[in-house]
Short mmCIF file of all heavy atoms in Angstrom, two decimals:
data_model
loop_
_atom_site.label_atom_id
_atom_site.label_comp_id
_atom_site.label_asym_id
_atom_site.label_seq_id
_atom_site.Cartn_x
_atom_site.Cartn_y
_atom_site.Cartn_z
N MET A 1 0.81 -1.18 0.00
CA MET A 1 0.00 0.00 0.00
C MET A 1 0.87 1.26 0.00
O MET A 1 0.56 2.22 -0.68
CB MET A 1 -0.92 0.00 1.23
CG MET A 1 -1.84 1.16 1.26
SD MET A 1 -2.95 0.98 2.67
CE MET A 1 -3.57 2.62 2.72
N GLY A 2 1.97 1.27 0.75
CA GLY A 2 2.77 2.48 0.87
C GLY A 2 4.07 2.43 0.09
O GLY A 2 4.88 3.33 0.21
N GLY A 3 4.27 1.41 -0.71
CA GLY A 3 5.54 1.27 -1.42
C GLY A 3 5.50 1.86 -2.82
O GLY A 3 4.44 2.06 -3.41
N ILE A 4 6.69 2.16 -3.34
CA ILE A 4 6.80 2.65 -4.70
C ILE A 4 7.38 1.52 -5.54
O ILE A 4 8.41 0.94 -5.21
CB ILE A 4 7.73 3.88 -4.77
CG1 ILE A 4 7.13 5.03 -3.96
CG2 ILE A 4 7.95 4.31 -6.21
CD1 ILE A 4 8.01 6.27 -3.90
N SER A 5 6.70 1.22 -6.64
CA SER A 5 7.16 0.12 -7.49
C SER A 5 8.29 0.60 -8.40
O SER A 5 8.56 1.79 -8.54
CB SER A 5 6.00 -0.42 -8.34
OG SER A 5 5.64 0.54 -9.32
N ILE A 6 8.93 -0.34 -9.05
CA ILE A 6 10.04 -0.02 -9.95
C ILE A 6 9.56 0.81 -11.13
O ILE A 6 10.27 1.68 -11.62
CB ILE A 6 10.76 -1.32 -10.40
CG1 ILE A 6 12.05 -1.01 -11.19
CG2 ILE A 6 9.85 -2.17 -11.25
CD1 ILE A 6 13.16 -0.53 -10.34
N TRP A 7 8.34 0.57 -11.59
CA TRP A 7 7.80 1.30 -12.73
C TRP A 7 7.57 2.77 -12.38
O TRP A 7 7.84 3.66 -13.18
CB TRP A 7 6.51 0.66 -13.23
CG TRP A 7 6.77 -0.72 -13.78
CD1 TRP A 7 6.39 -1.90 -13.22
CD2 TRP A 7 7.50 -1.04 -14.96
NE1 TRP A 7 6.85 -2.94 -13.99
CE2 TRP A 7 7.53 -2.44 -15.06
CE3 TRP A 7 8.14 -0.28 -15.93
CZ2 TRP A 7 8.17 -3.09 -16.10
CZ3 TRP A 7 8.77 -0.94 -16.97
CH2 TRP A 7 8.79 -2.33 -17.05
N GLN A 8 7.11 3.00 -11.18
CA GLN A 8 6.91 4.39 -10.74
C GLN A 8 8.25 5.12 -10.63
O GLN A 8 8.36 6.29 -11.01
CB GLN A 8 6.17 4.43 -9.41
CG GLN A 8 4.73 3.97 -9.53
CD GLN A 8 4.07 3.76 -8.17
OE1 GLN A 8 4.76 3.50 -7.19
NE2 GLN A 8 2.74 3.86 -8.13
N LEU A 9 9.27 4.44 -10.14
CA LEU A 9 10.61 5.04 -10.06
C LEU A 9 11.16 5.35 -11.45
O LEU A 9 11.77 6.40 -11.66
CB LEU A 9 11.57 4.12 -9.31
CG LEU A 9 11.39 4.04 -7.80
CD1 LEU A 9 12.32 3.00 -7.21
CD2 LEU A 9 11.64 5.39 -7.17
N LEU A 10 10.96 4.45 -12.40
CA LEU A 10 11.43 4.68 -13.76
C LEU A 10 10.73 5.88 -14.40
O LEU A 10 11.36 6.67 -15.11
CB LEU A 10 11.23 3.43 -14.62
CG LEU A 10 12.16 2.25 -14.30
CD1 LEU A 10 11.76 1.02 -15.11
CD2 LEU A 10 13.60 2.64 -14.58
N ILE A 11 9.44 6.04 -14.15
CA ILE A 11 8.70 7.18 -14.68
C ILE A 11 9.24 8.48 -14.07
O ILE A 11 9.44 9.48 -14.78
CB ILE A 11 7.19 7.02 -14.43
CG1 ILE A 11 6.65 5.86 -15.30
CG2 ILE A 11 6.43 8.30 -14.73
CD1 ILE A 11 5.23 5.45 -14.97
N ILE A 12 9.49 8.48 -12.77
CA ILE A 12 10.04 9.67 -12.11
C ILE A 12 11.41 10.01 -12.68
O ILE A 12 11.71 11.18 -12.96
CB ILE A 12 10.10 9.45 -10.58
CG1 ILE A 12 8.68 9.38 -10.01
CG2 ILE A 12 10.90 10.55 -9.91
CD1 ILE A 12 8.61 8.94 -8.58
N VAL A 13 12.26 9.02 -12.88
CA VAL A 13 13.60 9.25 -13.44
C VAL A 13 13.49 9.82 -14.85
O VAL A 13 14.21 10.75 -15.22
CB VAL A 13 14.43 7.95 -13.42
CG1 VAL A 13 15.70 8.08 -14.24
CG2 VAL A 13 14.76 7.57 -11.99
N ALA A 14 12.58 9.27 -15.66
CA ALA A 14 12.41 9.76 -17.03
C ALA A 14 11.95 11.22 -17.03
O ALA A 14 12.44 12.04 -17.83
CB ALA A 14 11.40 8.88 -17.77
N ILE A 15 11.05 11.58 -16.16
CA ILE A 15 10.58 12.97 -16.08
C ILE A 15 11.71 13.90 -15.65
O ILE A 15 11.88 14.99 -16.21
CB ILE A 15 9.36 13.07 -15.12
CG1 ILE A 15 8.15 12.36 -15.74
CG2 ILE A 15 9.03 14.52 -14.82
CD1 ILE A 15 6.98 12.21 -14.80
N VAL A 16 12.50 13.48 -14.66
CA VAL A 16 13.62 14.31 -14.19
C VAL A 16 14.64 14.51 -15.31
O VAL A 16 15.14 15.62 -15.52
CB VAL A 16 14.28 13.67 -12.94
CG1 VAL A 16 15.59 14.34 -12.61
CG2 VAL A 16 13.32 13.74 -11.76
N VAL A 17 14.94 13.46 -16.07
CA VAL A 17 15.90 13.56 -17.18
C VAL A 17 15.35 14.48 -18.26
O VAL A 17 16.08 15.31 -18.83
CB VAL A 17 16.23 12.17 -17.75
CG1 VAL A 17 16.99 12.27 -19.07
CG2 VAL A 17 17.04 11.37 -16.75
N LEU A 18 14.07 14.40 -18.54
CA LEU A 18 13.47 15.28 -19.55
C LEU A 18 13.48 16.74 -19.09
O LEU A 18 13.71 17.65 -19.89
CB LEU A 18 12.04 14.84 -19.86
CG LEU A 18 11.90 13.56 -20.69
CD1 LEU A 18 10.43 13.16 -20.79
CD2 LEU A 18 12.49 13.74 -22.07
N LEU A 19 13.26 16.99 -17.82
CA LEU A 19 13.22 18.35 -17.31
C LEU A 19 14.60 18.99 -17.26
O LEU A 19 14.78 20.14 -17.66
CB LEU A 19 12.59 18.39 -15.92
CG LEU A 19 11.08 18.20 -15.85
CD1 LEU A 19 10.62 18.14 -14.39
CD2 LEU A 19 10.37 19.33 -16.56
N PHE A 20 15.58 18.27 -16.73
CA PHE A 20 16.88 18.86 -16.48
C PHE A 20 17.92 18.54 -17.55
O PHE A 20 18.90 19.27 -17.71
CB PHE A 20 17.42 18.42 -15.11
CG PHE A 20 16.57 18.91 -13.97
CD1 PHE A 20 15.77 18.04 -13.26
CD2 PHE A 20 16.58 20.24 -13.62
CE1 PHE A 20 14.99 18.49 -12.21
CE2 PHE A 20 15.80 20.72 -12.58
CZ PHE A 20 15.01 19.82 -11.87
N GLY A 21 17.79 17.44 -18.22
CA GLY A 21 18.79 17.03 -19.20
C GLY A 21 19.92 16.25 -18.54
O GLY A 21 20.19 16.41 -17.35
N THR A 22 20.59 15.45 -19.34
CA THR A 22 21.63 14.59 -18.78
C THR A 22 22.87 15.38 -18.38
O THR A 22 23.55 15.03 -17.41
CB THR A 22 22.02 13.50 -19.79
OG1 THR A 22 22.42 14.12 -21.01
CG2 THR A 22 20.87 12.54 -20.04
N LYS A 23 23.19 16.45 -19.13
CA LYS A 23 24.40 17.22 -18.81
C LYS A 23 24.29 17.89 -17.45
O LYS A 23 25.22 17.85 -16.65
CB LYS A 23 24.64 18.26 -19.90
CG LYS A 23 25.97 18.96 -19.76
CD LYS A 23 26.24 19.87 -20.94
CE LYS A 23 27.59 20.51 -20.79
NZ LYS A 23 27.92 21.37 -21.92
N LYS A 24 23.13 18.49 -17.17
CA LYS A 24 22.95 19.15 -15.87
C LYS A 24 22.96 18.13 -14.74
O LYS A 24 23.51 18.39 -13.67
CB LYS A 24 21.61 19.89 -15.85
CG LYS A 24 21.74 21.35 -15.70
CD LYS A 24 20.41 22.02 -15.59
CE LYS A 24 20.56 23.47 -15.92
NZ LYS A 24 19.35 24.22 -15.84
N LEU A 25 22.37 16.98 -14.97
CA LEU A 25 22.36 15.94 -13.94
C LEU A 25 23.77 15.42 -13.68
O LEU A 25 24.13 15.11 -12.54
CB LEU A 25 21.43 14.80 -14.33
CG LEU A 25 19.94 15.13 -14.32
CD1 LEU A 25 19.13 13.95 -14.82
CD2 LEU A 25 19.48 15.53 -12.94
N ARG A 26 24.58 15.32 -14.74
CA ARG A 26 25.96 14.87 -14.57
C ARG A 26 26.76 15.86 -13.73
O ARG A 26 27.49 15.47 -12.82
CB ARG A 26 26.61 14.70 -15.94
CG ARG A 26 27.32 13.38 -16.09
CD ARG A 26 27.95 13.23 -17.45
NE ARG A 26 26.93 12.80 -18.41
CZ ARG A 26 26.83 13.23 -19.65
NH1 ARG A 26 27.67 14.12 -20.12
NH2 ARG A 26 25.88 12.78 -20.43
N THR A 27 26.63 17.15 -14.03
CA THR A 27 27.37 18.15 -13.27
C THR A 27 26.86 18.22 -11.83
O THR A 27 27.63 18.41 -10.91
CB THR A 27 27.27 19.54 -13.92
OG1 THR A 27 25.91 19.91 -14.05
CG2 THR A 27 27.94 19.55 -15.28
N LEU A 28 25.55 18.04 -11.67
CA LEU A 28 24.99 18.04 -10.32
C LEU A 28 25.54 16.87 -9.52
O LEU A 28 25.90 17.02 -8.35
CB LEU A 28 23.46 17.96 -10.39
CG LEU A 28 22.72 17.91 -9.07
CD1 LEU A 28 22.85 19.25 -8.36
CD2 LEU A 28 21.25 17.59 -9.29
N GLY A 29 25.64 15.71 -10.14
CA GLY A 29 26.19 14.54 -9.47
C GLY A 29 27.65 14.72 -9.09
O GLY A 29 28.07 14.37 -7.98
N SER A 30 28.45 15.30 -10.00
CA SER A 30 29.86 15.49 -9.68
C SER A 30 30.04 16.55 -8.59
O SER A 30 30.89 16.41 -7.72
CB SER A 30 30.65 15.87 -10.93
OG SER A 30 30.21 17.11 -11.43
N ASP A 31 29.23 17.61 -8.63
CA ASP A 31 29.29 18.63 -7.59
C ASP A 31 28.91 18.05 -6.23
O ASP A 31 29.53 18.36 -5.21
CB ASP A 31 28.38 19.80 -7.92
CG ASP A 31 28.88 20.62 -9.09
OD1 ASP A 31 30.07 20.48 -9.45
OD2 ASP A 31 28.08 21.39 -9.65
N LEU A 32 27.90 17.22 -6.23
CA LEU A 32 27.47 16.59 -4.99
C LEU A 32 28.56 15.67 -4.45
O LEU A 32 28.84 15.65 -3.25
CB LEU A 32 26.17 15.82 -5.20
CG LEU A 32 25.56 15.15 -3.98
CD1 LEU A 32 25.14 16.21 -2.96
CD2 LEU A 32 24.36 14.32 -4.38
N GLY A 33 29.21 14.92 -5.33
CA GLY A 33 30.29 14.04 -4.92
C GLY A 33 31.46 14.81 -4.33
O GLY A 33 32.04 14.40 -3.32
N GLU A 34 31.84 15.93 -4.95
CA GLU A 34 32.93 16.75 -4.43
C GLU A 34 32.57 17.34 -3.07
O GLU A 34 33.42 17.44 -2.19
CB GLU A 34 33.26 17.86 -5.42
CG GLU A 34 33.94 17.37 -6.67
CD GLU A 34 34.18 18.49 -7.67
OE1 GLU A 34 34.21 19.66 -7.27
OE2 GLU A 34 34.33 18.17 -8.86
N SER A 35 31.31 17.71 -2.91
CA SER A 35 30.87 18.27 -1.63
C SER A 35 30.98 17.23 -0.52
O SER A 35 31.43 17.53 0.59
CB SER A 35 29.43 18.76 -1.72
OG SER A 35 29.31 19.76 -2.68
N VAL A 36 30.59 16.00 -0.82
CA VAL A 36 30.66 14.93 0.17
C VAL A 36 32.12 14.64 0.52
O VAL A 36 32.46 14.47 1.69
CB VAL A 36 29.94 13.66 -0.35
CG1 VAL A 36 30.21 12.47 0.54
CG2 VAL A 36 28.44 13.92 -0.45
N LYS A 37 33.00 14.62 -0.48
CA LYS A 37 34.43 14.39 -0.23
C LYS A 37 35.01 15.49 0.65
O LYS A 37 35.77 15.22 1.57
CB LYS A 37 35.21 14.33 -1.54
CG LYS A 37 35.04 13.05 -2.31
CD LYS A 37 35.86 13.09 -3.58
CE LYS A 37 35.60 11.88 -4.44
NZ LYS A 37 36.36 11.92 -5.70
N GLY A 38 34.65 16.73 0.34
CA GLY A 38 35.14 17.84 1.14
C GLY A 38 34.65 17.77 2.57
O GLY A 38 35.39 18.05 3.52
N PHE A 39 33.39 17.38 2.75
CA PHE A 39 32.83 17.26 4.09
C PHE A 39 33.53 16.16 4.88
O PHE A 39 33.89 16.35 6.04
CB PHE A 39 31.33 16.97 4.00
CG PHE A 39 30.67 16.80 5.33
CD1 PHE A 39 30.41 17.90 6.12
CD2 PHE A 39 30.32 15.55 5.80
CE1 PHE A 39 29.80 17.76 7.36
CE2 PHE A 39 29.71 15.40 7.02
CZ PHE A 39 29.45 16.50 7.80
N LYS A 40 33.76 15.02 4.24
CA LYS A 40 34.45 13.91 4.91
C LYS A 40 35.87 14.31 5.29
O LYS A 40 36.36 13.97 6.37
CB LYS A 40 34.49 12.67 4.01
CG LYS A 40 33.16 11.98 3.92
CD LYS A 40 33.25 10.73 3.06
CE LYS A 40 31.93 10.02 2.96
NZ LYS A 40 32.02 8.81 2.13
N LYS A 41 36.55 15.04 4.38
CA LYS A 41 37.91 15.47 4.67
C LYS A 41 37.93 16.45 5.84
O LYS A 41 38.78 16.36 6.72
CB LYS A 41 38.52 16.13 3.44
CG LYS A 41 39.95 16.53 3.61
CD LYS A 41 40.52 17.14 2.35
CE LYS A 41 41.94 17.58 2.60
NZ LYS A 41 42.52 18.25 1.43
N ALA A 42 36.97 17.35 5.86
CA ALA A 42 36.89 18.32 6.96
C ALA A 42 36.61 17.62 8.28
O ALA A 42 37.16 18.00 9.31
CB ALA A 42 35.82 19.35 6.67
N MET A 43 35.77 16.62 8.27
CA MET A 43 35.46 15.88 9.49
C MET A 43 36.67 15.09 9.96
O MET A 43 36.90 14.95 11.16
CB MET A 43 34.27 14.95 9.29
CG MET A 43 32.96 15.68 9.07
SD MET A 43 32.53 16.79 10.40
CE MET A 43 32.18 15.64 11.70
N ALA A 44 37.45 14.57 9.03
CA ALA A 44 38.65 13.81 9.40
C ALA A 44 39.74 14.74 9.93
O ALA A 44 40.51 14.36 10.80
CB ALA A 44 39.16 13.03 8.21
N ASP A 45 39.81 15.96 9.42
CA ASP A 45 40.84 16.92 9.85
C ASP A 45 40.49 17.61 11.16
O ASP A 45 41.35 18.18 11.79
CB ASP A 45 41.06 17.99 8.78
CG ASP A 45 41.73 17.43 7.54
OD1 ASP A 45 42.29 16.32 7.64
OD2 ASP A 45 41.70 18.10 6.49
N GLU A 46 39.26 17.55 11.58
CA GLU A 46 38.82 18.28 12.78
C GLU A 46 39.59 17.89 14.04
O GLU A 46 40.06 18.77 14.75
CB GLU A 46 37.32 18.10 12.98
CG GLU A 46 36.77 18.92 14.12
CD GLU A 46 35.29 18.74 14.25
OE1 GLU A 46 34.61 18.45 13.28
OE2 GLU A 46 34.81 18.90 15.38
N PRO A 47 39.77 16.60 14.35
CA PRO A 47 40.51 16.27 15.57
C PRO A 47 41.96 16.78 15.54
O PRO A 47 42.49 17.20 16.55
CB PRO A 47 40.47 14.75 15.63
CG PRO A 47 39.30 14.36 14.82
CD PRO A 47 39.19 15.41 13.76
N LYS A 48 42.57 16.76 14.37
CA LYS A 48 43.94 17.24 14.27
C LYS A 48 43.98 18.74 14.57
O LYS A 48 44.87 19.21 15.25
CB LYS A 48 44.50 16.97 12.87
CG LYS A 48 44.67 15.50 12.57
CD LYS A 48 45.16 15.29 11.17
CE LYS A 48 45.22 13.81 10.83
NZ LYS A 48 45.58 13.59 9.44
N ASP A 49 43.01 19.48 14.03
CA ASP A 49 42.96 20.91 14.29
C ASP A 49 42.76 21.18 15.76
O ASP A 49 43.39 22.08 16.33
CB ASP A 49 41.83 21.57 13.48
CG ASP A 49 42.12 21.57 11.99
OD1 ASP A 49 43.30 21.40 11.62
OD2 ASP A 49 41.17 21.75 11.21
N ALA A 50 41.90 20.42 16.40
CA ALA A 50 41.66 20.61 17.82
C ALA A 50 42.93 20.31 18.61
O ALA A 50 43.24 20.99 19.59
CB ALA A 50 40.51 19.72 18.28
N GLU A 51 43.67 19.30 18.19
CA GLU A 51 44.92 18.95 18.87
C GLU A 51 45.93 20.08 18.73
O GLU A 51 46.60 20.45 19.68
CB GLU A 51 45.48 17.67 18.27
CG GLU A 51 46.73 17.16 18.95
CD GLU A 51 47.24 15.87 18.34
OE1 GLU A 51 46.41 15.03 17.99
OE2 GLU A 51 48.46 15.74 18.21
N PHE A 52 46.04 20.65 17.53
CA PHE A 52 46.96 21.75 17.32
C PHE A 52 46.56 22.97 18.12
O PHE A 52 47.40 23.68 18.65
CB PHE A 52 47.06 22.11 15.83
CG PHE A 52 47.81 21.09 15.01
CD1 PHE A 52 47.28 20.63 13.83
CD2 PHE A 52 49.03 20.60 15.44
CE1 PHE A 52 47.97 19.69 13.07
CE2 PHE A 52 49.73 19.67 14.69
CZ PHE A 52 49.18 19.21 13.50
N LYS A 53 45.29 23.23 18.23
CA LYS A 53 44.82 24.38 19.00
C LYS A 53 45.20 24.23 20.46
O LYS A 53 45.63 25.17 21.10
CB LYS A 53 43.31 24.56 18.84
CG LYS A 53 42.91 25.08 17.49
CD LYS A 53 41.42 25.20 17.37
CE LYS A 53 41.02 25.64 15.98
NZ LYS A 53 39.58 25.67 15.79
N SER A 54 45.04 23.01 21.00
CA SER A 54 45.39 22.81 22.40
C SER A 54 46.90 22.93 22.60
O SER A 54 47.36 23.44 23.61
CB SER A 54 44.88 21.45 22.89
OG SER A 54 45.53 20.40 22.20
N LEU A 55 47.69 22.48 21.62
CA LEU A 55 49.13 22.63 21.72
C LEU A 55 49.53 24.10 21.63
O LEU A 55 50.42 24.54 22.35
CB LEU A 55 49.83 21.84 20.60
CG LEU A 55 49.81 20.32 20.73
CD1 LEU A 55 50.43 19.66 19.51
CD2 LEU A 55 50.53 19.86 21.98
N ASP A 56 48.87 24.84 20.76
CA ASP A 56 49.15 26.27 20.64
C ASP A 56 48.85 26.99 21.95
O ASP A 56 49.62 27.85 22.39
CB ASP A 56 48.35 26.90 19.51
CG ASP A 56 48.85 26.49 18.13
OD1 ASP A 56 50.01 26.05 18.04
OD2 ASP A 56 48.08 26.64 17.16
N LYS A 57 47.74 26.64 22.57
CA LYS A 57 47.38 27.27 23.85
C LYS A 57 48.43 26.95 24.91
O LYS A 57 48.84 27.81 25.68
CB LYS A 57 46.01 26.80 24.32
CG LYS A 57 44.87 27.41 23.56
CD LYS A 57 43.54 26.94 24.11
CE LYS A 57 42.38 27.50 23.34
NZ LYS A 57 41.10 27.01 23.83
N ALA A 58 48.89 25.69 24.94
CA ALA A 58 49.89 25.29 25.92
C ALA A 58 51.20 26.04 25.68
O ALA A 58 51.85 26.48 26.63
CB ALA A 58 50.11 23.79 25.85
N GLU A 59 51.59 26.20 24.42
CA GLU A 59 52.82 26.93 24.12
C GLU A 59 52.70 28.40 24.51
O GLU A 59 53.63 28.97 25.05
CB GLU A 59 53.14 26.81 22.63
CG GLU A 59 53.64 25.45 22.21
CD GLU A 59 53.88 25.35 20.71
OE1 GLU A 59 53.75 26.38 20.01
OE2 GLU A 59 54.20 24.26 20.25
N LYS A 60 51.55 29.00 24.24
CA LYS A 60 51.36 30.41 24.59
C LYS A 60 51.40 30.62 26.09
O LYS A 60 52.01 31.56 26.58
CB LYS A 60 50.03 30.91 24.02
CG LYS A 60 50.05 31.11 22.52
CD LYS A 60 48.73 31.60 22.01
CE LYS A 60 48.75 31.73 20.50
NZ LYS A 60 47.46 32.16 19.96
N THR A 61 50.77 29.72 26.84
CA THR A 61 50.82 29.88 28.29
C THR A 61 52.24 29.68 28.82
O THR A 61 52.67 30.36 29.73
CB THR A 61 49.85 28.90 28.99
OG1 THR A 61 50.14 27.57 28.57
CG2 THR A 61 48.41 29.24 28.68
N ALA A 62 52.97 28.75 28.22
CA ALA A 62 54.36 28.53 28.64
C ALA A 62 55.22 29.75 28.32
O ALA A 62 56.07 30.16 29.11
CB ALA A 62 54.93 27.29 27.95
N GLN A 63 54.98 30.37 27.16
CA GLN A 63 55.73 31.55 26.78
C GLN A 63 55.43 32.71 27.70
O GLN A 63 56.33 33.44 28.11
CB GLN A 63 55.44 31.93 25.33
CG GLN A 63 56.02 30.98 24.31
CD GLN A 63 55.60 31.32 22.89
OE1 GLN A 63 54.76 32.18 22.68
NE2 GLN A 63 56.17 30.63 21.93
N THR A 64 54.16 32.89 28.06
CA THR A 64 53.82 34.00 28.96
C THR A 64 54.39 33.76 30.34
O THR A 64 54.83 34.70 31.01
CB THR A 64 52.30 34.20 29.05
OG1 THR A 64 51.68 32.97 29.42
CG2 THR A 64 51.73 34.67 27.73
N GLN A 65 54.44 32.50 30.77
CA GLN A 65 55.01 32.20 32.08
C GLN A 65 56.51 32.49 32.08
O GLN A 65 57.04 33.05 33.05
CB GLN A 65 54.75 30.74 32.45
CG GLN A 65 53.31 30.47 32.82
CD GLN A 65 53.05 29.00 33.06
OE1 GLN A 65 53.89 28.15 32.80
NE2 GLN A 65 51.86 28.70 33.56
N THR A 66 57.20 32.15 31.00
CA THR A 66 58.64 32.42 30.96
C THR A 66 58.91 33.91 30.88
O THR A 66 59.86 34.41 31.47
CB THR A 66 59.31 31.71 29.77
OG1 THR A 66 58.65 32.08 28.55
CG2 THR A 66 59.27 30.19 29.94
N LYS A 67 58.07 34.66 30.17
CA LYS A 67 58.22 36.11 30.11
C LYS A 67 58.02 36.73 31.49
O LYS A 67 58.77 37.61 31.91
CB LYS A 67 57.23 36.72 29.12
CG LYS A 67 57.58 36.49 27.68
CD LYS A 67 56.56 37.13 26.77
CE LYS A 67 56.86 36.84 25.31
NZ LYS A 67 55.84 37.42 24.42
N GLU A 68 57.03 36.25 32.21
CA GLU A 68 56.77 36.75 33.55
C GLU A 68 57.93 36.44 34.50
O GLU A 68 58.33 37.27 35.31
CB GLU A 68 55.46 36.17 34.11
CG GLU A 68 54.22 36.69 33.42
CD GLU A 68 52.95 35.99 33.86
OE1 GLU A 68 53.04 35.02 34.66
OE2 GLU A 68 51.87 36.38 33.40
N GLU A 69 58.50 35.25 34.37
CA GLU A 69 59.63 34.86 35.20
C GLU A 69 60.85 35.75 34.89
O GLU A 69 61.57 36.17 35.80
CB GLU A 69 59.98 33.40 34.98
CG GLU A 69 58.94 32.44 35.56
CD GLU A 69 59.22 30.98 35.17
OE1 GLU A 69 60.22 30.70 34.49
OE2 GLU A 69 58.40 30.13 35.57
N LYS A 70 61.08 36.02 33.62
CA LYS A 70 62.19 36.89 33.25
C LYS A 70 62.00 38.29 33.78
O LYS A 70 62.94 38.93 34.24
CB LYS A 70 62.34 36.92 31.72
CG LYS A 70 62.91 35.66 31.13
CD LYS A 70 63.04 35.75 29.63
CE LYS A 70 63.56 34.44 29.03
NZ LYS A 70 63.66 34.52 27.56
N GLU A 71 60.77 38.79 33.73
CA GLU A 71 60.49 40.13 34.24
C GLU A 71 60.71 40.19 35.76
O GLU A 71 61.23 41.18 36.29
CB GLU A 71 59.06 40.56 33.90
CG GLU A 71 58.86 40.85 32.42
CD GLU A 71 57.40 41.13 32.09
OE1 GLU A 71 56.54 41.10 33.00
OE2 GLU A 71 57.12 41.37 30.91
N LYS A 72 60.34 39.12 36.45
CA LYS A 72 60.55 39.07 37.91
C LYS A 72 62.04 39.06 38.23
O LYS A 72 62.50 39.66 39.19
CB LYS A 72 59.87 37.84 38.50
CG LYS A 72 58.37 37.97 38.55
CD LYS A 72 57.75 36.72 39.16
CE LYS A 72 56.24 36.78 39.15
NZ LYS A 72 55.65 35.54 39.69
N GLU A 73 62.83 38.31 37.43
CA GLU A 73 64.26 38.24 37.66
C GLU A 73 64.93 39.60 37.42
O GLU A 73 65.86 39.97 38.13
CB GLU A 73 64.89 37.19 36.73
CG GLU A 73 64.57 35.76 37.12
CD GLU A 73 65.11 34.74 36.14
OE1 GLU A 73 65.83 35.14 35.19
OE2 GLU A 73 64.82 33.56 36.30
N GLN A 74 64.45 40.32 36.42
CA GLN A 74 65.03 41.62 36.11
C GLN A 74 64.68 42.66 37.16
O GLN A 74 65.44 43.60 37.39
CB GLN A 74 64.58 42.11 34.73
CG GLN A 74 65.18 41.30 33.60
CD GLN A 74 64.65 41.75 32.24
OE1 GLN A 74 63.76 42.59 32.17
NE2 GLN A 74 65.19 41.17 31.18
N ALA A 75 63.55 42.51 37.80
CA ALA A 75 63.11 43.51 38.80
C ALA A 75 63.75 43.33 40.13
O ALA A 75 64.70 43.03 40.55
CB ALA A 75 61.61 43.41 39.00
#
């Protein structure tokens, strides 16, 4: 009762191809594929970025501590 048969899917595909054309559908598919690849790459790079940010924060705090120590020694 609630399913779509193969014939209905074929009719929908034929209408979409007639409306948009095969060239537009091809470019749309390649653009969609590149978007998915970019998203996956960004998700994979996220933990590395977070790790670098925490290392940067640790280095900055260490640098400020050494500057403060040097200022105390000079005073």
Side-chain angles (χ1 to χ4, degrees):
M1 183 175 165
I4 296 177
S5 70
I6 188 74
W7 295 110
Q8 291 170 335
L9 286 175
L10 289 174
I11 291 170
I12 292 170
V13 168
I15 291 171
V16 168
V17 168
L18 288 174
L19 286 176
F20 296 108
T22 55
K23 189 173 182 179
K24 243 184 200 180
L25 290 176
R26 228 179 278 140
T27 57
L28 179 69
S30 64
D31 290 344
L32 183 64
E34 289 177 22
S35 300
V36 170
K37 284 181 185 178
F39 179 75
K40 285 182 180 180
K41 184 179 178 183
M43 292 302 291
D45 290 344
E46 185 178 333
K48 293 177 185 175
D49 291 342
E51 183 179 322
F52 288 132
K53 287 178 184 176
S54 65
L55 288 176
D56 288 340
K57 285 182 182 178
E59 287 177 5
K60 287 180 182 178
T61 55
Q63 289 175 353
T64 55
Q65 288 175 351
T66 55
K67 286 180 183 178
E68 290 173 356
E69 289 173 2
K70 287 180 182 179
E71 290 174 0
K72 287 180 183 178
E73 288 176 5
Q74 290 176 354

